[in-house]
Amino acid sequence: MDRVDFLFSPYGSELTAAVASVIEELGVPTAASIVATLAPWKGKNAKWMTQFSSTAPLYLMGSVDLAIERAEAKNIAILYEDTPFPIGVADGLRARAKERGLKIAMDEKYDKALTDWSPLVSKARSLGAEFLAGGGYYPAAVGITRAAAGIGYRLKLLALVVGAADPKFVKDLGILAEGVAGSDIWLPSVKTRGFVVEGATIANEDFVRSYKEEFKRDPEYWSAAGYGAGQLLAQAVNDSLKRARKVDRNLTRDFLFNFSGETIYGDYGVVKLGQPDAGMQVRKQHFVIQWQKGKKEVVWPRELASAEPWIGWPR
Amino acid sequence: MREDSPSSADRAAEARPEIVWERVDRRVRRALVWSLPLILLFALAILPYMASAYTVTLTFLVFFWVATAQSWNLFSGYTGYVNFGYVGLIGVGAYTTAILIGKFGAHWLLAVGAAGAVTAAFGFLIGIPFLRAHGIYFAIAMLGLAEGLRVLFSMDLMAPLTGGGAGIGFISGMSLAAKYYAMGLVALLSTAVVFLVANSRFGLQLLTIREDELAAQVMGINTTSKKLMAFTLCAFLTGLAGGLYAAYVNYLVPATMFVTAYYTLIPIVMATFGGLGTTMGPVVGAVLFTIISEAIWARFVFLHLVIFGAVLIIIILFMPQGIIPWLQDRRILPRTRWL
Amino acid sequence: MADLLTFIEFSLRGLMVGAVYALMAMGLSLIFGVMRVVNVAHGEFLMLGGYVSFFAWSSVQLNPIASLFVAMPLLFFLGMTIQRLFIERVVGKPELSSLMLCFGLSIILLQGAQLLFTPDPRGFTWLLYPVRLLGWNFPMYMLMIFATSMAIAFALFLFLKATRWGKAIRAVSQNYEVAQACGIDARKVRMLSFGCGAAMAGAAGAFVPVQFSLSPGVGHEFILKSFAVVVVGGLGSLWGAFLAGLLLGIVESLITFYFSSHLAQLTFYATIIAVLLVRPGGLFGSAEA
Amino acid sequence: MEDGAILTLERVRKDFGGLRAVDDCSLVVETGKIVGLIGPNGAGKTTLFQLISGVLRRDSGHIYFHGDDISRLRPHEIARRGIGRTFQITRIFPKMTVWENMIVASHSAGAEERARALLELADLLPLKDHYAAELSFGQQKLLDLMRVMMLNPELILLDEPAAGINPTMQNKILDLIHQLNKEGRTFLIIEHDMDIIMGHCEKVIALNFGRVIAEGRPDEVRENEEVLTAYFGK
């Protein structure tokens, strides 16, 4: 790691948390591309690593607004895996529900070794929950959806991280996936501009086009995040070259902490250096997606929506 | 029914070939025995000033694996009781450090020392009931314990201390060099403890448990208390290593701290490869394995653990005693408990 | 009254999940009974059964019950091969050898599956609609899985009771020396029973992608639960494993519903520990049986 | 309790499931004697040894050693009080050297001299650095016997000490037993070979179905009606 000038893209919360200390110790400017947990930054006085992706609490916040404004749900059941990322997601749900006055009918975490979700889903039903939200990783999204279908649970809205945004979700569950909401941070269709490099803007559509030419398929969000983080770092290096005519770690780092703007991935902006939560993402937004006729549609926020939200699950 | 020939004793004595090591001139041997460890220690002592941060970090990890392989060996290698819940002890040590530094702002020296003490106390208390279970039952119970700890550490009950499933992060305040030297000392301490145990009556008594626990009992050996002592000692050393490891990780989550297939597997493979119930075996195993897996890791990330599994099988089937006893059986090394 | 109904509902639900635990644990117990080997790699047999079933479904739409006819023979032969090549060499050796050997096998199968099948979680949907039974909604697939599991379990009992090879297996597990003196080829019996044990795990696994979610690491959670089951049932006792599997399924479901899933998981591990401390030979059987 | 008794069993009982292995067995072993314990297979001889040495717990009754009740003690405590035993199948520590096998069984000072003397006596001293597993079967039996002596026991329980070895080795072991007996040690020996019993024991106890059916001088016991029935049927 000694010959590394900067890093990007460690994947996953725990891995990032583990390398964070090394990064801080060695002083390597880093944009952590897909880390939704706050732990590596919250109160850590980070000096070298910034959070490129959005934070876990932002994932499903929009679905609470959707549930209140469109689905007219009276209460919410929050059900989530007891590991850092899902806990963060649930924190966001809880906070937004309280803020908007949505009654919390159930708020329960489950162990990661859980294999059968039906007791918990049944419990949500027996408590009269109309909006079920939360989850964890892919197995949970499938498991919760299946358990709910298995007991004949009717919901106004079902919103799950992160598995519900996975294209496999609709393949594995078919008709049951219809109407399930999820959260997505990026889609090929998003109209972001990215950076101006050498006089030309490399916008999201350009990235998607070249990716398709190269790999013959649509990019996934992690590719976009990686590309976006790359754009950011490239800009940081350019900035350093412009100012000092060399790649300087401190200058690169300063750029990462001070820049506020857009990459193809979307908005970027972090807590400034010197503050307790330095490096933590504050600008990146998430939107609510929903499976409609086998396609992933953006349904919230309204101004970005590609389709009208469907209310009621199962269809 | 086997028959004896009266002279078999004499024959066996005559047929003993010379030990390769003992063919070397006595003065040369003595010089080697004294100088090699000193040279090695000296090289390791100056390493942080000479080598890159990568090398220092890698050596730190070798120290961690030496310490854990050695501690696993101290209990399981000598008594034959397979500790499949070893990761639980590492976890208790790591969490003790994390909690003391993260929640109470303790100095790392105090926190790591406490990790040793707390884990030892934990090992002692757990040992009293667990060591009643024999053989496979002990192995299963320990596996259950480690998984139970994972769940327990994520429960709300413990959350004020452990941070629950969200985990606990902290800043250890240790420089890389400090971590390196501290872990080096723990590795050295573990090896020294095993060395002392191996050459003591206590070590022999532990071996009788592995060889034949019932026979040991009717020979007047209180196997229960010997096992408990060894287990507590193992827990103490593991606690220190786990505590320092926490300072390296800086962030503990039950779901990633209690991974049996990693933190239990690797010390077992290393200790078994080098030779269970020997003093130097775990050191040899840990060093060889880290070098090999680092060489392989770079190329085949996914094959990493497959190779660990394969090696474990190969050792058990073809070289169940491990390297050091294998060399001893071939009369290359002397048969002493020092090795 | 409503409370009682809920209690019964979740007991039934747990019973159905428990059927899968029972299948797996019976295999584990059978292997232990015959060769005194705790097959730590049993969870990986379950995982492999799961992939057979998953690929059978995704390639030719074979339903999980039909794919049992592929998964079970496949696992049976795999088990026999593994027994012949590896396990046979450590039978009768100190348990350290067999435990570590199986641990090594488990890691290889797990990591091998990661390489071959990728760590992606898999699953498919089959008969996922609620059926009204005794006034409650149960998913259809659950009823089918339960019925099939029961049939397989009883088939195994019947096999052991009524066939020549079944009797040989029982004889070897009861008294190895006497069985050999009676002209039973203990080596073949060991191969056969390891194969049967693996096939049982494979059968349980075939339901995993429908009922739960399948990934290379799925075996770990199941093996730990199976240990709890066989310890409660008495290692080596098939009836014990069968009943304890159902029982623990019920307990898990009830505790998850009334308390929390953490407590339910903890119950499994605490059960292992508690039973071993009170009766090192398990609840129903004895270590010798 | 009789005078001169080193070991006394009072109505000792042990059940295995439905099987009564030892049935209200009472017997006395006098200090300084070599006592033979005979009986057909399954008579409960080995179980009795397991109970005396504490490997198994009796269900009821008492076992006295020098007048102290030892029936609740654990095996290592009993061993330290001075009861040594061997097993029917020799249980040496195979991957430990002969020397280590000896040393580890001693719990008092002077272990090394003692081990040296005993190994000398059994002609095992040249082999002291060999692993016990490398010894011949007969040598392992000798080692087993010598190792028991490291405990400095007053009473020694031997389970078929002469079984399965050649006559030369057998004589060696029997000579050793007599030599140790002269030092004042008491022996209780399970043996099937009637010639050995007749030739070497001062007293014989016959068991059947977990009960004492006869005891006395060897020639008396051999003629005993019940003993003959037990062995040969009617």
Side-chain angles (χ1 to χ4, degrees):
Chain A
M1 216 180 257
D2 305 279
R3 288 170 297 279
V4 174
D5 277 326
F6 41 80
L7 272 173
F8 61 97
S9 211
Y11 189 17
S13 315
E14 286 103 20
L15 199 59
T16 308
V19 298
S21 61
V22 181
I23 288 170
E24 289 297 323
E25 173 141 353
L26 299 178
V28 185
T30 302
S33 66
I34 310 179
V35 185
T37 174
L38 301 176
W41 292 277
K42 189 110 192 138
K44 289 284 167 60
N45 279 308
K47 289 182 188 66
W48 294 96
M49 186 169 76
T50 66
Q51 185 173 31
F52 182 71
S53 199
S54 91
T55 62
L58 290 169
Y59 267 64
L60 283 178
M61 272 190 172
S63 73
V64 176
D65 300 339
L66 175 65
I68 295 169
E69 289 171 30
R70 300 299 293 272
E72 291 163 358
K74 286 190 289 295
N75 58 15
I76 177 174
I78 307 172
L79 180 60
Y80 60 101
E81 184 183 296
D82 192 12
T83 48
F85 167 71
I87 290 172
V89 174
D91 287 344
L93 280 168
R94 199 178 298 118
R96 188 60 139 239
K98 280 188 184 144
E99 191 183 313
R100 307 259 347 224
L102 186 66
K103 197 177 149 243
I104 297 173
M106 174 173 147
D107 188 347
E108 187 159 330
K109 52 181 182 254
Y110 57 80
D111 186 63
K112 84 176 180 90
L114 186 74
T115 39
D116 179 20
W117 280 267
S118 43
L120 295 174
V121 172
S122 301
K123 193 193 242 174
R125 185 176 62 171
S126 67
L127 293 166
E130 297 178 337
F131 169 37
L132 180 63
Y137 297 91
Y138 188 79
V142 173
I144 290 173
T145 310
R146 245 190 225 149
I151 59 166
Y153 193 177
R154 306 209 140 268
L155 281 154
K156 284 187 173 159
L157 188 65
L158 174 62
L160 299 167
V161 285
V162 279
D166 194 316
K168 276 204 319 243
F169 186 75
V170 74
K171 259 172 55 194
D172 287 354
L173 286 173
I175 179 88
L176 280 180
E178 293 292 317
V180 177
S183 167
D184 226 327
I185 193 160
W186 177 89
L187 281 176
S189 57
V190 176
K191 299 259 184 279
T192 48
R193 295 182 313 281
F195 285 112
V196 177
V197 179
E198 290 166 9
T201 310
I202 301 175
N204 194 29
E205 49 189 325
D206 304 316
F207 163 70
V208 174
R209 190 172 348 96
S210 28
Y211 188 96
K212 272 185 174 164
E213 278 166 18
E214 185 76 26
F215 300 107
K216 314 287 175 232
R217 60 187 160 87
D218 268 345
E220 299 290 352
Y221 75 96
W222 52 82
S223 315
Y227 188 87
Q231 277 191 315
L232 177 68
L233 278 167
Q235 194 66 16
V237 170
N238 280 342
D239 184 72
S240 160
L241 285 172
K242 222 179 331 180
R243 286 181 202 216
R245 304 190 162 277
K246 65 180 174 100
V247 181
D248 182 277
R249 283 187 178 192
N250 288 312
L251 285 176
T252 322
R253 182 265 310 269
D254 291 346
F255 184 88
L256 292 181
F257 278 81
N258 291 324
F259 177 74
S260 181
E262 201 180 72
T263 71
I264 61 140
Y265 195 54
D267 288 334
Y268 172 87
V270 298
V271 177
K272 296 278 180 292
L273 210 57
Q275 297 182 34
D277 299 343
M280 196 165 92
Q281 178 62 248
V282 286
R283 286 198 57 193
K284 179 79 183 112
Q285 290 298 314
H286 264 250
F287 36 76
V288 178
I289 58 101
Q290 190 174 44
W291 290 102
Q292 297 185 356
K293 298 182 183 138
K295 268 183 63 193
K296 202 196 274 182
E297 303 284 1
V298 178
V299 293
W300 201 264
R302 269 185 204 130
E303 56 280 9
L304 274 173
S306 59
E308 271 295 295
W310 288 357
I311 301 307
W313 178 91
R315 303 302 297 174
Chain B
M1 202 181 281
R2 272 179 290 170
E3 283 299 316
D4 267 316
S5 89
S7 65
S8 66
D10 313 320
R11 233 192 19 227
E14 279 162 25
R16 270 181 112 187
E18 213 182 341
I19 293 165
V20 175
W21 167 252
E22 282 169 2
R23 267 186 243 153
V24 180
D25 184 76
R26 199 183 151 80
R27 273 163 302 176
V28 177
R29 273 188 284 156
R30 177 168 295 183
L32 280 176
V33 163
W34 285 104
S35 62
L36 274 182
L38 285 177
I39 293 170
L40 191 68
L41 276 181
F42 179 72
L44 289 173
I46 59 166
L47 188 83
Y49 301 98
M50 315 298 285
S52 63
Y54 167 78
T55 312
V56 176
T57 307
L58 186 66
T59 317
F60 167 87
L61 288 175
V62 175
F63 289 156
F64 173 65
W65 293 124
V66 168
T68 49
Q70 204 63 276
S71 312
W72 193 86
N73 174 47
L74 175 59
F75 176 69
S76 298
Y78 280 83
T79 66
Y81 273 64
V82 183
N83 183 353
F84 267 161
Y86 185 66
V87 63
L89 298 179
I90 299 182
V92 169
Y95 264 95
T96 308
T97 303
I99 292 166
L100 286 178
I101 297 179
K103 303 274 170 183
F104 301 103
H107 189 268
W108 67 265
L109 261 173
L110 178 75
V112 172
V118 168
T119 315
F122 175 76
F124 181 78
L125 292 176
I126 282 293
I128 292 171
F130 274 57
L131 289 167
R132 283 183 46 187
H134 286 254
I136 44 162
Y137 293 100
F138 175 77
I140 293 177
M142 286 305 294
L143 202 57
L145 175 75
E147 198 66 12
L149 282 175
R150 176 185 70 70
V151 179
L152 191 68
F153 276 49
S154 33
M155 284 173 85
D156 290 341
L157 182 74
M158 298 280 282
L161 282 177
T162 63
I168 178 171
F170 63 100
I171 296 161
S172 68
M174 294 177 80
S175 67
L176 181 59
K179 289 175 204 165
Y180 171 88
Y181 286 122
M183 194 62 101
L185 281 178
V186 173
L188 195 65
L189 176 68
S190 312
T191 308
V193 167
V194 172
F195 179 83
L196 290 176
V197 166
N199 291 293
S200 70
R201 256 184 78 73
F202 176 52
L204 285 184
Q205 290 169 331
L206 292 180
L207 281 177
T208 64
I209 299 171
R210 178 188 78 182
E211 298 290 294
D212 190 333
E213 189 168 356
L214 188 60
Q217 286 172 349
V218 302
M219 288 302 136
I221 297 166
N222 185 354
T223 56
T224 315
S225 83
K226 301 296 165 200
K227 279 185 287 184
L228 191 59
M229 279 165 71
F231 194 66
T232 309
L233 207 50
C234 158
F236 172 70
L237 295 170
T238 309
L240 292 180
L244 278 171
Y245 189 71
Y248 161 73
V249 179
N250 266 327
Y251 185 79
L252 305 183
V253 181
T256 44
M257 197 57 237
F258 292 94
V259 186
T260 301
Y262 194 74
Y263 294 107
T264 299
L265 172 74
I266 292 177
I268 291 183
V269 174
M270 287 171 169
T272 314
F273 184 68
L276 291 177
T278 65
T279 309
M280 292 313 291
V283 179
V284 172
V287 172
L288 279 181
F289 256 91
T290 317
I291 293 168
I292 294 169
S293 78
E294 196 65 20
I296 294 163
W297 175 276
R299 261 157 273 170
F300 318 102
V301 177
F302 293 109
L303 276 180
H304 182 63
L305 284 177
V306 177
I307 287 165
F308 271 88
V311 169
L312 189 55
I313 292 178
I314 293 167
I315 306 168
I316 295 292
L317 290 184
F318 302 108
M319 213 169 81
Q321 71 276 54
I323 292 182
I324 299 264
W326 187 82
L327 290 174
Q328 288 175 331
D329 285 353
R330 266 151 203 75
R331 312 215 133 267
I332 293 165
L333 291 175
R335 213 178 242 171
T336 147
R337 301 259 174 236
W338 293 50
L339 276 166
Chain C
M1 190 60 198
D3 286 349
L4 184 65
L5 287 177
T6 317
F7 184 85
I8 297 170
E9 180 189 347
F10 282 93
S11 301
L12 287 173
R13 232 174 252 293
L15 185 73
M16 292 180 196
V17 176
V20 178
Y21 299 159
L23 281 193
M24 185 174 170
M26 283 167 77
L28 199 61
S29 225
L30 178 68
I31 290 170
F32 180 81
V34 170
M35 57 205 98
R36 298 289 180 269
V37 166
V38 175
N39 181 20
V40 181
H42 209 60
E44 277 60 47
F45 291 153
L46 168 113
M47 177 266 294
L48 291 176
Y51 276 99
V52 172
S53 149
F54 172 78
F55 287 118
W57 174 269
S58 57
S59 56
V60 288
Q61 298 284 302
L62 205 61
N63 76 51
I65 292 177
S67 72
L68 283 178
F69 292 96
V70 185
M72 289 182 72
L74 222 60
L75 265 294
F76 179 75
F77 285 111
L78 180 74
M80 293 228 293
T81 313
I82 285 181
Q83 202 283 336
R84 187 70 199 80
L85 290 180
F86 303 109
I87 311 290
E88 182 64 26
R89 293 165 196 258
V90 293
V91 168
K93 291 248 181 81
E95 57 250 346
L96 185 118
S97 306
S98 63
L99 282 172
M100 307 239 282
L101 181 74
C102 293
F103 191 27
L105 281 171
S106 150
I107 297 290
I108 290 187
L109 291 173
L110 165 64
Q111 300 294 326
Q114 297 248 15
L115 286 174
L116 274 177
F117 308 136
T118 77
D120 280 358
R122 321 271 190 146
F124 58 88
T125 304
W126 172 66
L127 300 183
L128 208 168
Y129 49 85
V131 179
R132 261 193 113 62
L133 183 79
L134 309 166
W136 293 289
N137 283 324
F138 290 101
M140 184 63 187
Y141 71 82
M142 225 176 194
L143 298 176
M144 295 297 284
I145 289 172
F146 181 71
T148 316
S149 305
M150 288 296 115
I152 295 171
F154 285 107
L156 181 70
F157 284 128
L158 208 65
F159 166 72
L160 291 176
K161 198 105 217 151
T163 66
R164 204 168 65 86
W165 279 111
K167 283 176 185 158
I169 288 178
R170 278 167 52 219
V172 171
S173 81
Q174 273 160 26
N175 193 327
Y176 167 76
E177 270 130 21
V178 173
Q180 250 187 340
C182 296
I184 292 170
D185 183 348
R187 240 168 73 168
K188 267 190 193 147
V189 166
R190 286 196 291 265
M191 258 174 92
L192 180 72
S193 34
F194 204 88
C196 285
M200 292 297 280
F207 303 129
V208 166
V210 179
Q211 207 166 358
F212 313 110
S213 183
L214 178 68
S215 63
V218 76
H220 185 68
E221 281 137 31
F222 280 89
I223 188 81
L224 283 163
K225 288 178 180 175
S226 297
F227 281 150
V229 171
V230 292
V231 165
V232 170
L235 259 175
S237 157
L238 288 185
W239 274 105
F242 178 75
L243 295 174
L246 298 180
L247 179 73
L248 283 180
I250 295 171
V251 169
E252 182 188 24
S253 166
L254 290 174
I255 295 182
T256 307
F257 183 77
Y258 286 109
F259 301 99
S260 77
S261 74
H262 282 101
L263 202 62
Q265 302 306 314
L266 205 57
T267 306
F268 274 99
Y269 314 128
T271 305
I272 298 182
I273 294 160
V275 171
L276 288 181
L277 300 185
V278 180
R279 286 207 44 188
L283 274 187
F284 297 139
S286 67
E288 287 84 29
Chain D
M1 236 167 286
E2 291 169 42
D3 267 344
I6 189 166
L7 180 79
T8 310
L9 268 64
E10 252 181 36
R11 299 175 67 81
V12 172
R13 181 183 288 184
K14 179 72 190 174
D15 292 336
F16 292 116
L19 184 82
R20 181 147 298 172
V22 174
D23 185 8
D24 287 345
C25 178
S26 300
L27 60 83
V28 173
V29 175
E30 293 85 2
T31 314
K33 281 192 177 166
I34 297 179
V35 179
L37 189 61
I38 61 166
N41 281 325
K45 304 183 297 286
T46 298
T47 310
L48 209 57
F49 269 26
Q50 305 283 65
L51 295 171
I52 298 168
S53 60
V55 174
L56 291 175
R57 276 282 159 89
R58 87 274 177 274
D59 294 331
S60 64
H62 296 280
I63 302 170
Y64 299 99
F65 180 62
H66 279 314
D68 300 329
D69 192 342
I70 57 163
S71 50
R72 286 167 181 281
L73 297 184
R74 287 158 64 205
H76 69 93
E77 294 168 323
I78 292 172
R80 293 211 180 186
R81 286 202 176 207
I83 301 181
R85 75 165 284 194
T86 64
F87 292 86
Q88 198 171 355
I89 298 161
T90 314
R91 300 180 86 147
I92 38 98
F93 304 124
K95 280 285 181 181
M96 290 169 69
T97 64
V98 169
W99 184 251
E100 287 170 342
N101 262 277
M102 297 291 284
I103 291 294
V104 81
S106 166
H107 307 281
S108 51
E112 307 222 338
E113 295 93 84
R114 208 173 152 64
R116 197 168 287 277
L118 285 166
L119 288 178
E120 189 87 73
L121 192 64
D123 293 332
L124 287 173
L125 201 54
L127 297 171
K128 75 181 179 62
D129 291 328
H130 279 250
Y131 278 154
E134 295 164 341
L135 264 52
S136 75
F137 186 57
Q139 288 167 338
Q140 291 185 358
K141 281 218 146 183
L142 269 176
L143 173 60
D144 200 10
L145 183 62
M146 289 300 121
R147 193 180 56 176
V148 170
M149 297 312 300
M150 287 301 287
L151 282 168
N152 203 8
E154 293 171 60
L155 172 65
I156 300 149
L157 316 175
L158 301 178
D159 201 341
E160 303 197 31
I165 48 174
N166 67 39
T168 321
M169 198 57 94
Q170 249 181 30
N171 287 333
K172 202 163 168 180
I173 286 179
L174 290 167
D175 285 349
L176 275 173
I177 292 174
H178 277 290
Q179 207 167 327
L180 297 166
N181 178 241
K182 284 207 193 83
E183 290 175 14
R185 296 174 208 282
T186 312
F187 282 87
L188 180 61
I189 303 175
I190 296 178
E191 189 51 69
H192 280 297
D193 188 330
M194 274 300 171
D195 292 340
I196 292 178
I197 293 283
M198 295 303 137
H200 299 271
C201 296
E202 298 155 65
K203 176 184 170 182
V204 174
I205 299 169
L207 285 187
N208 200 18
F209 299 115
R211 281 173 172 279
V212 177
I213 51 172
E215 66 182 297
R217 287 205 321 275
D219 48 328
E220 290 169 7
V221 172
R222 185 166 55 176
E223 304 306 325
N224 184 290
E225 200 65 20
E226 237 183 306
V227 174
L228 289 172
T229 315
Y231 270 92
F232 305 109
K234 249 195 177 156

